[in-house]
Amino acid sequence: MRAFIFPGQGSQSVGMGKALSEASTVAREVFQEVDDALGQRLFRIMTEGPEDQLTLTENAQPAIMANAIATLRVLEKEGGIRLADKAGFVAGHSLGEYSALCAAGALDLATTARLLKLRGQAMQAAVPVGVGAMAALLGADIEKAQGLADAAAQGEVCTVANDNDPSQVVISGHRGAIERAIELVKDHGIKRGILLPVSAPFHCPLMQPAADAMAQALADAALQAPLVPVYANVTAAPVADAETIKALLVEQVTGRVRWRESVVAMFDNGVHEFVEFGGKVLAPMVKRSAQDANATSVISMDDIEALMKGL
């Protein structure tokens, strides 16, 4: 069985989508539809920069989604392939969960773009710049990371935000607590702690104002049951009920991205092939979490054509 997976924030880069749009009318239509939905020239920022504009959370989130969905749409339309025939499940890392839901027909493209724009704005506004921080812990499993977060908190927020794979966990919270955690890594048997260049402390309780904003937006959004179940970040379990999906997307803003657990659960459920669309971040994580799985990143037309032959 196969799962289609979609990357999260950090996978953006200036020039993204340019070659694909030049090679495919289908891709150009996706980028134009996103621009129209947002009322901005996001595709120009994606292809030309400047980089600081692309990395703004409110731009990066819809941009990463647009690039992933364009890649998938080219495969579907030019390859005559239906997602439901080729994938048993979909999943995405953080904002990638929205891409996964769009891919599986639960959200239309314009709605997905607008929700991610709002999500980015709400997450940025939830915490004043400089108050929060995030750090990647290298050589840390979930138990070591949790122990470190508990020790560093000292009355502030310090929690596991992303359980990415057996060797990488990300923590999030108040800047002081995250800085303390980095100083304490060796005491907890962790190789290294690296402060991440992010503008807000995602996936921790400090994001509650953003969760409230998304609860309101999702309540009004048209969301259908997906064509195939989506593995939700916060439960690491498949879900196909529209109202449950909405509730989990709200919970996801402050909750842990249980990516490692999701990959292991999918593998245990018979998924032995993972195809990442629009990025090359998740495939290596998959291989570290489920070593016997096949994981492929699909970005270029060459990648798409190679995948067509293998499906």
Side-chain angles (χ1 to χ4, degrees), residues 168-200:
Q168 189 201 94
V169 179
V170 175
I171 54 173
S172 181
H174 285 107
R175 176 169 285 274
I178 298 301
E179 289 174 347
R180 282 193 296 274
I182 291 172
E183 291 170 7
L184 293 170
V185 289
K186 296 282 196 263
D187 298 345
H188 289 262
I190 295 167
K191 191 184 299 180
R192 197 173 167 207
I194 303 169
L195 202 63
L196 293 177
V198 294
S199 53

Side-chain angles (χ1 to χ4, degrees), residues 11 22 26 41 49 73 85 91 93 106 112 118 133 145 167 177 225 235-236 247 260:
S11 57
E22 290 169 351
V26 174
R41 300 183 73 173
R73 290 272 175 90
D85 294 336
H93 190 285
T112 310
L118 173 66
S167 64
T235 61
R260 175 188 58 84

Side-chain angles (χ1 to χ4, degrees), residues 29-264:
E29 289 171 351
V30 169
F31 296 130
Q32 186 61 54
E33 188 175 343
V34 170
D35 276 6
D36 292 346
L38 298 180
Q40 74 172 110
R41 300 183 73 173
L42 180 63
F43 186 59
R44 174 183 270 189
I45 296 172
M46 290 167 63
T47 55
E48 299 176 14
E51 189 173 0
D52 62 343
Q53 287 296 305
L54 180 58
T55 53
L56 281 176
T57 303
E58 66 177 79
N59 290 331
Q61 294 200 21
I64 292 162
M65 180 278 298
N67 192 50
I69 294 300
T71 311
L72 175 67
R73 290 272 175 90
V74 173
L75 173 73
E76 288 179 321
K77 294 195 176 178
E78 299 193 4
I81 286 163
R82 290 180 68 250
L83 178 145
D85 294 336
K86 301 297 180 180
F89 301 99
V90 293
H93 190 285
S94 190
L95 82 91
E97 194 163 329
Y98 286 80
S99 307
L101 289 165
C102 180
L107 289 167
D108 65 50
L109 181 60
T111 300
T112 310
R114 286 191 288 265
L115 284 172
L116 284 174
K117 182 78 172 179
L118 173 66
R119 184 176 182 268
Q121 291 170 333
M123 291 172 93
Q124 186 61 67
V127 180
V129 173
V131 171
M134 298 180 78
L137 306 178
L138 306 182
D141 59 22
I142 189 67
E143 289 77 19
K144 287 178 181 177
Q146 189 63 60
L148 173 64
D150 293 343
Q154 297 182 21
E156 292 187 309
V157 171
C158 187
T159 188
V160 173
N162 304 343
D163 179 9
N164 286 334
D165 65 44
S167 64
Q168 189 201 94
V169 179
V170 175
I171 54 173
S172 181
H174 285 107
R175 176 169 285 274
I178 298 301
E179 289 174 347
R180 282 193 296 274
I182 291 172
E183 291 170 7
L184 293 170
V185 289
K186 296 282 196 263
D187 298 345
H188 289 262
I190 295 167
K191 191 184 299 180
R192 197 173 167 207
I194 303 169
L195 202 63
L196 293 177
V198 294
S199 53
F202 306 132
H203 299 292
C204 81
L206 296 176
M207 286 285 112
Q208 189 57 50
D212 295 341
M214 291 312 296
Q216 190 171 348
L218 284 160
D220 297 332
L223 193 152
Q224 319 296 325
L227 296 170
V228 298
V230 57
Y231 265 78
N233 282 183
V234 294
T235 61
V239 60
D241 174 72
E243 289 307 310
T244 304
I245 289 169
K246 285 186 178 184
L248 293 175
L249 287 174
V250 174
E251 194 179 329
Q252 188 225 61
V253 179
T254 57
R256 179 184 304 174
V257 176
R258 293 168 63 183
W259 187 253
R260 175 188 58 84
E261 291 177 75
S262 297
V263 170
V264 171

